[in-house]
Amino acid sequence: MSKNREHFLDLPDKARNESVSDIPLLSVRGGKRLRPEGVRNLLIRGTNWIGDVVMTLPAIASIRKTFPDAHIAILVKPWVADVLRLCPDVDEILLYKSPGIHAGMKGKVRLAGELRERRFDAAILLQNAIEAAILTRMAGIPIRAGYNSDARGALLTHAVRRTREVRQVHQVNYYRAMVQALGCEPTDIGAMLKPGAEDQKLAERLMSEFSLEKGSFLVGMAPGAAYGPAKMWFPERFGAVADRLISELNARVLLFGSSGDRKAIEEVQGSSSFSLLDLAGKTSLREAIVLMSRCGLFVSNDSGLMHVAGALGVPTVAIFGSTNPVTTSPSGKRTIVVRGKADCSPCLKKVCPTDFQCMKSIGVEDVYRAARTMMKA
């Protein structure tokens, strides 16, 4: 039997981002703070990847709490928009279509013109890139706030000093620290994604379409990872965990992922003794999210879908090898991390240059018992 207790990582509040007191105190150039007075039309430049977007949701909630009467629009790439459609703190989603009509210098000028026409009073830049500061400056937005990262401090009216300390905390607290330095009120962290009535109708339709019976115990699995193979636990072990959950708990296992996860998902299905429902590339992100919200358990590598599951409040088992759970574990209180044991972990590499010991050290029993622990909790 694996020494599974060595692998369980019940992160304390400091890393799990539940406590406001753990957020580093940062300074703003000139001691400036954002004031709700006069800000009626506010733009947020969101982050570009699913997991990063989820980890900004508490910061967005703080912005909403501070600017309760403002119209809040968020500018994001199209492939993350479906996540924000389940966020109650955003009024409008603006699409940054690059690739597409906003690509290249001509596209940036076009986008800046579109933003200028909206006459935003202020912009808060959650994205770290200098491009976000240039774009909002070109758009004539008078108040531009964000981290002084990527040599963009001079372009910001409210530049937050990004310290070494804040780069080492959980990413949720990284973004919360920035907006709180700007004067935004702190908020608690709970289920940050909330499917509405239309989402529930969509979930019912999809349940029927995929022959998923009401009342059945659904388990979601995400065996892929966009960042690289070093983040991926072995497909045959996912398959073995699926078999245990099906044979012992009469679960129905759903495999989530993009078309890029096809190989991993086919290997999980091929190693299982049961028929698993393959949804990879067969749903939109919104459809995947509403189906995930119906799951009683989610088992995942460190991935964007792992963060979505945690933000939905679904009991989540997160498998970590090459990446650092202290900074990127799923948020929420219904999650548990199973961490690999290796001297070189976390290495943050896309491809393991040695023997992949961090993932080899995680056995089927470790993940299965973590799943049972979450179900009992």
Side-chain angles (χ1 to χ4, degrees):
M1 178 179 293
S2 301
K3 297 179 180 179
N4 57 290
R5 293 308 307 176
E6 294 182 3
H7 295 294
F8 284 18
L9 181 61
D10 191 11
L11 293 170
D13 283 350
K14 186 172 184 180
R16 203 62 167 281
N17 60 69
E18 307 299 341
S19 174
V20 171
S21 64
D22 294 324
I23 301 175
L25 297 176
L26 305 178
S27 61
V28 184
R29 186 182 63 218
K32 296 180 179 180
R33 297 291 183 95
L34 297 178
R35 305 295 181 189
E37 300 82 14
V39 178
R40 310 294 296 179
N41 196 16
L42 174 64
L43 177 70
I44 298 173
R45 173 58 172 108
T47 49
N48 289 339
W49 305 107
I50 294 172
D52 292 337
V53 167
V54 173
M55 290 187 285
T56 65
L57 294 177
I60 294 172
S62 290
I63 295 170
R64 167 53 73 195
K65 185 176 181 181
T66 308
F67 299 89
D69 299 321
H71 178 86
I72 297 179
I74 187 163
L75 177 66
V76 291
K77 295 295 181 73
W79 51 83
V80 300
D82 279 346
V83 176
L84 290 159
R85 290 190 175 100
L86 276 74
C87 173
D89 299 310
V90 172
D91 297 309
E92 182 182 8
I93 299 170
L94 305 178
L95 298 183
Y96 185 171
K97 299 176 181 178
S98 177
I101 61 174
H102 298 139
M105 181 54 66
K106 185 177 180 180
K108 304 296 182 292
V109 172
R110 175 176 179 165
L111 178 56
E114 292 170 359
L115 296 177
R116 182 181 291 274
E117 291 177 0
R118 297 294 303 272
R119 305 179 69 86
F120 287 105
D121 301 307
I124 298 177
L125 312 181
L126 298 177
Q127 188 199 28
N128 292 317
I130 191 171
E131 179 195 83
I134 294 173
L135 189 64
T136 50
R137 175 74 176 270
M138 290 171 60
I141 301 175
I143 297 173
R144 303 175 301 279
Y147 275 123
N148 65 346
S149 55
D150 209 23
R152 67 183 189 176
L155 297 171
L156 302 176
T157 60
H158 294 64
V160 179
R161 182 169 175 263
R162 191 172 67 157
T163 63
R164 181 178 181 181
E165 179 188 9
V166 81
R167 297 187 207 191
Q168 296 174 343
V169 302
H170 195 286
Q171 285 290 291
V172 168
N173 280 348
Y174 172 86
Y175 295 110
R176 292 170 87 196
M178 189 262 279
V179 298
Q180 288 182 35
L182 293 168
C184 293
E185 300 180 45
T187 58
D188 295 329
I189 296 177
M192 304 300 295
L193 294 178
K194 300 176 181 179
E198 290 302 314
D199 299 303
Q200 300 296 353
K201 291 179 182 178
L202 176 59
E204 292 293 334
R205 180 177 66 78
L206 292 168
M207 291 278 288
S208 175
E209 180 180 329
F210 291 114
S211 301
L212 298 172
E213 296 180 5
K214 290 184 179 180
S216 57
F217 180 60
L218 302 181
V219 175
M221 285 189 170
Y227 181 76
K231 293 174 68 172
M232 296 169 60
W233 196 45
F234 303 101
E236 63 272 18
R237 297 187 187 181
F238 269 105
V241 172
D243 284 357
R244 291 282 300 274
L245 293 169
I246 294 169
S247 61
E248 298 181 24
L249 301 175
N250 196 31
R252 184 75 190 276
V253 175
L254 287 59
L255 301 178
F256 290 90
S258 67
S259 56
D261 299 319
R262 170 61 48 206
K263 184 175 183 294
I265 286 188
E266 288 177 351
E267 290 177 354
V268 173
Q269 178 65 85
S271 64
S272 173
S273 302
F274 298 91
S275 176
L276 314 180
L277 179 57
D278 176 4
L279 297 173
K282 299 177 182 179
T283 65
S284 66
L285 178 58
R286 182 189 177 197
E287 289 172 337
I289 292 173
V290 298
L291 280 174
M292 288 170 61
S293 72
R294 296 297 180 96
C295 291
L297 177 70
F298 201 80
V299 182
S300 178
N301 294 319
D302 176 14
S303 66
L305 292 182
M306 172 200 74
H307 288 288
V308 169
L312 285 168
V314 175
T316 301
V317 176
I319 302 169
F320 274 73
S322 65
T323 47
N324 188 358
V326 173
T327 56
T328 60
S329 61
S331 60
K333 298 180 179 180
R334 305 181 74 185
T335 65
I336 191 169
V337 168
V338 183
R339 176 177 56 179
K341 305 290 286 186
D343 293 338
C344 53
S345 176
C347 68
L348 307 182
K349 296 182 183 296
K350 292 185 177 181
V351 179
C352 177
T354 57
D355 60 356
F356 211 21
Q357 182 58 33
C358 62
M359 285 302 192
K360 288 180 180 177
S361 67
I362 300 174
V364 171
E365 183 68 16
D366 298 316
V367 174
Y368 178 72
R369 291 192 61 175
R372 293 302 301 263
T373 298
M374 288 310 304
M375 291 164 60
K376 291 176 182 177

